[in-house]
Amino acid sequence: MRLFLIPAALLLLALADMPSGYYVLMRIVVCLASAIVAYGGYKREDSVNGTVILFGLMAILFNPIIPVYLYDREIWMPIDIIGAIVFVIKGFVFKNTNQL
């Protein structure tokens, strides 16, 4: 459960005015966590499902190598909130079922 709270907390902290280095760190952590969850979901089901698609899209959106620039902070704010909610929900599901 705690593993899912780290990217969720970083996404919520991104709502504040932070230095640019923070956003790079957040992208790395969120992308890595999203990729791990997507891969775990694929390996468990051995097929593509909603979890794989959702976290795969989050990994692409937050990837630090080829960043997606939306340029407007008001666009990123709801995306960060939704991403944090998704991680928290997945954390509760993981806690109750012990699966990625």
Side-chain angles (χ1 to χ4, degrees):
M1 169 73 175
R2 290 184 207 144
L3 175 67
F4 296 102
L5 292 180
I6 293 169
L10 290 175
L11 285 165
L12 292 177
L13 279 173
L15 298 174
D17 191 22
M18 303 297 273
S20 62
Y22 173 80
Y23 296 105
V24 173
L25 173 67
M26 181 208 61
R27 282 179 174 271
I28 292 169
V29 172
V30 172
C31 179
L32 183 62
S34 297
I36 290 170
V37 173
Y39 178 74
Y42 178 77
K43 289 299 281 186
R44 186 184 69 252
E45 298 291 327
D46 206 20
S47 67
V48 176
N49 56 27
T51 300
V52 174
I53 293 170
L54 178 63
F55 282 95
L57 288 173
M58 284 181 58
I60 291 168
L61 183 62
F62 287 99
N63 84 79
I65 297 169
I66 305 172
V68 175
Y69 293 111
L70 298 178
Y71 296 107
D72 194 5
R73 191 176 154 102
E74 284 76 30
I75 296 173
W76 276 108
M77 291 175 96
I79 293 171
D80 292 341
I81 293 169
I82 292 168
I85 291 169
V86 167
F87 271 109
V88 169
I89 290 171
K90 186 62 180 170
F92 281 114
V93 169
F94 177 77
K95 180 180 176 185
N96 293 332
T97 62
N98 287 329
Q99 61 183 5
L100 283 177

